[in-house]
Amino acid sequence: SGVRLEAHTHIVMGSMPRLEALEACCQRAKISVIDLVFAPLAQAESLLTPQAREMGVALVDIGSDTTDLSVFEGGQLVHSAMIGIGGEHVTLDVKDCLNTPAVEAEHLKQVHGCAVADMIRADETISVPGVGGRRARSIKRRYLCEIIEARMEEIIRLVGEELNQIGYTGGFPGGLVMTGGTANIAGLCELAEQVLGIPAAKSAPK
């Protein structure tokens, strides 16, 4: 017998109309929905080992519009947060600073981008397509990477602020695991380690 029952819970809130609309889309495509799973839990099954989740690890998913942070400890999800900056913001920065179309800015980011400008030789140049029929021009590749580094550093610092707010200032035995399309930018793990002082590695679903 007992007089009091206590529980530590992690509550995730979502929009029911959006979830219902998603289920309706699946049903119209003749896809049966068995259950709904919170994305960080699904990612953890694919990306994180049970040992990492037990020891403590932070999963950072840098998508197009947002960056999602999930913290696991003791085998459980103990914190989740969404930061309203993602890879699309990096692309727009490149577009605006280099005055090139968005599709070309995305190509430059993916092919020539690096999150740490100092990793690029000072004499490397790249071609930037012009707008409105203007001819392409050459620029230093390091300049492109400085644009990317500034925005990526902002994202990483916002992740660090979120971790500080919940008291995770000493790092994680399992480190940071970076995933998402924007995580493919070269030098991102090195930048995360410089800014946060936590070991970082990139991972993708198997």
Side-chain angles (χ1 to χ4, degrees), residues 24-63:
C25 288
C26 291
Q27 291 169 359
R28 283 198 291 269
K30 302 191 184 309
I31 299 173
S32 298
V33 178
I34 298 174
D35 201 357
L36 296 173
V37 180
F38 186 42
L41 295 178
Q43 289 177 323
E45 288 295 324
S46 177
L47 302 174
L48 304 178
T49 64
Q51 293 83 0
R53 279 178 278 171
E54 184 67 33
M55 294 170 60
V57 63
L59 179 62
V60 181
D61 179 6
I62 307 178

Side-chain angles (χ1 to χ4, degrees), residues 95-107:
K95 168 183 171 290
D96 294 339
C97 292
L98 300 185
N99 193 25
T100 192
V103 64
E104 299 295 348
E106 178 68 19
H107 177 76

Side-chain angles (χ1 to χ4, degrees), residues 141-202:
R141 184 186 173 196
R142 181 174 286 190
Y143 177 54
L144 166 69
C145 297
E146 288 172 349
I147 299 169
I148 295 172
E149 180 178 354
R151 180 66 77 173
M152 296 309 303
E153 182 175 340
E154 178 189 13
I155 292 174
I156 292 170
R157 289 195 182 280
L158 288 172
V159 169
E161 290 176 7
E162 185 70 29
L163 294 175
N164 289 337
Q165 288 178 9
I166 61 174
Y168 286 90
T169 57
F172 303 87
L176 293 180
V177 175
M178 319 288 287
T179 189
T182 307
N184 291 320
I185 294 178
L188 179 59
C189 292
E190 289 82 353
L191 180 63
E193 292 177 357
Q194 290 176 17
V195 174
L196 301 180
I198 302 173
K202 184 174 68 175

